[in-house]
């Protein structure tokens, strides 16, 4: 490990790997430090990602595609089903990945492009001089050393500490942290081309249960619930057990996966002098689906490019790096997060009766091309008794 | 009265959900080891959100 790089990336997930690759491809020196001893494990993810979105960054490869998904089904609390075609289902269908292979491939590609990579190398503090972030103190092989960088990229995920050490408030409000548990199950009767989402305050309060196929008769079966609905005796794991006993009593669990997903708004500002924050660390997971792979890769790529421009221009101040912050906020990804945040805020107010009404009425809506506004407008027509709240939602979406 | 945050390490899945909600920045996930620093104020938010129930604020007289 050198003591100085152009770009130091803290965290070797999809965001960090993409950032490092973009940086070296722009002619910079870059280094990824990953605190865990292996890339891609333990998995903290339901592994769903949009096919078209992913294609922006990597060619599909059967080694890390566990299943190809053709559609989604939403199950209302009363059991009513709403089937969505891929176009309507949005960005979270396409592939269910094998993150252990996928993440490794991304870091591999960054390394081949020229980035340094160190595992079981952990940032223990930020180097901050006169308010400017200048790298990290790194614990590696029993010692601590300073690794300095012109730009540091915080890609340290939901459990991010780096931005906090640099003075940013990154704490996720308890109500906006989805606490999740998932089983990788085998021997279950599922449609291997369909993702299924179960809604309802009894099944998953302020969250949902997902069944994401990973091939024939196997799937990620998981749940996320709001942190404020979680507590002793009614935690994510408890709800998951209840669901699995009812729906897949004969299935076998070959992996337990736990984690947290933020569904808050992104950080108010995602740059500081010498620092760019990306992906889950910037609270950029989707507030409705919780999906964050593409968002991390998109912001990682952007961070690498902006870092290169700013380093070349000799100015890595917050003002100069703000190009990154403005660009992602104005991107389709940034706009989708803002829109989906508002929709999520609406959905968590619904009791099961209203959820049933909305989901069952949506069945009758014909849409050639999915548009949130069209959907809301149609829902208003179909549900005159929910006129006021739906109109408020429509207004908030502009 | 004395309060402190207990980590049941045999239950912890070291996922870091607790780290993200800690208002004080007291928790840190070091690979498979959750550490708590002395800035913890025993607010119990982490104990609420833990998906496995590995955290508990205990009170002693």
């Amino acid at each position: 490990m050198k003591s100085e790089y152009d770009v130091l990336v803290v965290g070797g997930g999809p965001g960090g790997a993409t950032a490092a690759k973009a940086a070296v491809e722009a002619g910079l020196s870059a280094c990824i430090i990953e605190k865990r001893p292996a890339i891609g494990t333990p998995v903290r993810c339901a592994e769903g990602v949009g096919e078209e979105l992913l294609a922006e960054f990597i060619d599909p490869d059967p080694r890390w595609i566990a299943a190809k998904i053709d559609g989604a089904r939403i199950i209302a609390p009363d059991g009513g089903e709403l089937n969505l075609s891929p176009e309507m289902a949005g960005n979270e269908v396409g592939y269910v990945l094998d993150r252990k292979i996928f993440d490794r491939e991304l870091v591999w590609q960054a390394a081949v492009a020229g980035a340094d990579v160190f595992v079981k190398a952990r940032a223990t503090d930020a180097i901050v001089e006169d308010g400017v972030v200048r790298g990290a103190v790194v614990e590696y092989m029993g010692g601590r050393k300073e690794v300095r960088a012109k730009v540091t990229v915080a890609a340290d995920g939901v459990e991010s500490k780096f931005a906090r050490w640099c003075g940013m408030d990154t704490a996720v409000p308890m109500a906006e942290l989805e606490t999740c548990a998932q089983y990788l199950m085998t021997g279950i009767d599922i449609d291997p081309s369909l993702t299924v989402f179960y809604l309802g305050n009894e099944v998953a309060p302020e969250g949902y249960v997902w069944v994401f196929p990973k091939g024939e008769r196997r799937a990620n079966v998981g749940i996320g619930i709001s942190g404020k609905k979680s507590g002793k005796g009614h935690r994510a794991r408890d709800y998951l057990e209840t669901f699995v006993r009812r729906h897949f009593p004969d299935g076998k669990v070959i992996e337990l996966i736990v984690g947290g997903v933020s569904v808050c708004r992104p950080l108010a500002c995602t740059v500081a002098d010498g620092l760019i924050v990306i992906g889950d660390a910037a609270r950029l997971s989707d507030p409705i689906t919780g999906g964050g792979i593409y968002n991390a890769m998109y912001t990682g790529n952007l961070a690498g490019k902006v870092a290169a421009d700013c380093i070349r221009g000799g100015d890595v101040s917050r003002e100069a790096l703000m190009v990154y912050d403005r660009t992602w906020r104005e991107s389709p990804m940034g706009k989708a997060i803002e829109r989906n945040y508002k929709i999520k805020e609406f959905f968590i107010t619904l009791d099961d009766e209203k959820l049933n009404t909305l989901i069952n009425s949506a069945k009758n809506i014909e849409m050639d091309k999915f548009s949130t506004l069209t959907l809301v407008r149609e829902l208003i027509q179909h549900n005159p008794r929910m006129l006021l709240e739906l109109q408020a939602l429509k207004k908030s979406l502009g | 009265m004395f309060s402190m945050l207990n980590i049941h390490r045999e239950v912890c899945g070291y996922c870091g959900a607790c780290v993200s909600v800690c208002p004080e920045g007291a928790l840190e996930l070091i690979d498979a080891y959750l550490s708590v620093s002395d800035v913890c104020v025993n607010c119990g938010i982490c104990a609420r959100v833990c998906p496995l129930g590995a955290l508990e604020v205990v009170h002693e007289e």
Side-chain angles (χ1 to χ4, degrees):
Chain A
M1 197 181 304
K2 294 179 204 152
S3 52
E4 197 163 347
Y5 292 91
D6 291 324
V7 175
L8 176 65
V9 181
V10 179
T18 309
K21 184 163 177 256
V24 291
E25 284 177 347
L28 303 180
S29 65
C31 177
I32 300 171
I33 54 168
E34 166 56 54
K35 71 181 175 185
R36 296 200 166 92
I39 302 291
T41 181
V43 174
R44 301 282 176 233
C45 187
E47 304 182 296
V49 71
E51 181 179 348
E52 283 175 33
L53 292 175
L54 197 60
E56 289 177 28
F57 298 111
I58 188 166
D59 294 327
D61 184 333
R63 286 180 304 151
W64 44 255
I65 298 170
K68 174 97 173 61
I69 301 304
D70 299 325
R73 176 174 295 156
I74 296 170
I75 313 268
D78 66 0
E81 294 181 358
L82 172 64
N83 290 304
L84 301 175
S85 64
E87 303 77 55
M88 287 174 71
N91 296 333
E92 297 307 314
V93 297
Y95 301 129
V96 178
L97 302 175
D98 188 334
R99 284 283 306 270
K100 288 170 188 162
I101 312 288
F102 180 74
D103 287 28
R104 183 182 291 207
E105 177 64 27
L106 290 177
V107 170
W108 221 300
Q109 290 191 4
V112 169
D116 275 359
V117 183
F118 295 92
V119 295
K120 205 151 173 65
R122 184 177 67 97
T124 60
D125 207 351
I127 302 170
V128 183
E129 292 169 350
D130 302 325
V132 182
V133 179
R134 299 202 188 274
V137 179
V138 181
E139 198 171 64
Y140 183 61
M141 299 210 9
R144 284 191 184 193
K145 72 180 281 183
E146 288 197 349
V147 180
R148 305 178 75 84
K150 297 188 180 84
V151 172
T152 306
V153 176
D156 46 348
V158 70
E159 77 252 35
S160 167
K161 291 297 288 271
F162 198 86
R164 211 191 282 237
W165 294 331
C166 300
M168 291 182 175
D169 179 12
T170 60
V172 177
M174 177 172 65
E176 298 195 306
L177 190 275
E178 291 287 302
T179 164
C180 306
Q182 173 175 275
Y183 293 149
L184 173 55
M185 298 190 75
T186 67
I188 55 177
D189 280 322
I190 52 151
D191 180 338
S193 65
L194 205 63
T195 49
V196 186
F197 301 83
Y198 292 79
L199 300 183
N201 288 296
E202 267 177 48
V203 184
E206 295 190 16
Y208 63 86
V209 168
W210 62 85
V211 179
F212 284 8
K214 293 200 76 172
E216 296 285 339
R217 298 183 61 74
R218 60 181 61 167
N220 285 333
V221 180
I223 182 173
I225 62 171
S226 163
K228 77 167 192 271
K229 299 288 185 180
S230 168
K232 198 172 182 184
H234 52 97
R235 299 181 184 279
R237 178 88 186 268
D238 302 314
Y239 282 102
L240 180 60
E241 275 291 315
T242 305
F243 179 86
V244 163
R245 265 200 302 274
R246 187 166 155 219
H247 292 266
F248 303 120
D250 301 324
K252 295 189 175 118
V253 176
I254 65 166
E255 193 168 334
L256 165 67
I257 293 147
V258 281
V261 181
S262 69
V263 291
C264 52
R265 281 203 166 97
L267 296 185
C269 179
T270 54
V271 293
D273 291 329
L275 177 72
I276 302 179
V277 190
I278 68 169
D280 280 12
R283 311 312 183 204
L284 287 167
S285 41
D286 186 284
I288 290 186
T289 64
I293 300 169
Y294 170 79
N295 296 359
M297 293 174 75
Y298 168 78
T299 49
N301 181 57
L302 182 64
K305 288 180 169 163
V306 169
D309 289 344
C310 292
I311 289 171
R312 213 168 282 130
D315 182 1
V316 295
S317 66
R318 178 179 181 278
E319 287 66 35
L321 295 174
M322 272 305 283
V323 173
Y324 162 82
D325 190 275
R326 281 193 299 269
T327 305
W328 74 252
R329 279 181 212 276
E330 285 161 17
S331 72
M333 179 212 77
K335 287 181 177 158
I337 290 177
E338 180 58 24
R339 184 192 68 216
N340 287 355
Y341 182 80
K342 288 168 180 163
I343 298 174
K344 179 220 57 165
E345 286 291 282
F346 166 72
F347 259 92
I348 60 173
T349 65
L350 301 178
D351 58 24
D352 281 3
E353 197 188 333
K354 283 178 179 164
L355 273 176
N356 289 332
T357 307
L358 277 189
I359 293 170
N360 290 313
S361 73
K363 276 192 247 182
N364 305 319
I365 296 172
E366 294 277 337
M367 275 189 293
D368 295 334
K369 186 138 175 53
F370 182 80
S371 134
T372 310
L373 279 180
T374 311
L375 178 65
V376 174
R377 203 177 297 130
E378 289 286 327
L379 286 172
I380 290 173
Q381 287 207 342
H382 285 74
N383 300 282
R385 286 199 311 170
M386 290 175 70
L387 183 67
L388 284 179
E389 52 211 288
L390 282 167
Q391 272 182 340
L393 170 67
K394 188 174 164 218
K395 204 171 165 197
S396 79
L397 296 174
Chain B
M1 200 172 71
F2 172 79
S3 300
M4 76 173 287
L5 180 67
N6 254 358
I7 303 170
H8 300 291
R9 301 199 178 277
E10 73 287 3
V11 177
C12 176
Y14 41 92
C15 72
C18 53
V19 179
S20 71
V21 292
C22 177
E24 306 298 324
L27 293 165
E28 190 174 350
L29 184 62
I30 304 170
D31 189 11
Y33 183 90
L34 182 67
S35 80
V36 53
S37 79
D38 55 11
V39 302
C40 173
V41 294
N42 305 301
C43 68
I45 292 175
C46 56
R48 285 269 305 271
V49 307
C50 176
L52 297 176
L55 296 162
E56 184 185 19
V57 178
V58 290
H59 308 282
E60 281 171 26
E61 291 298 321

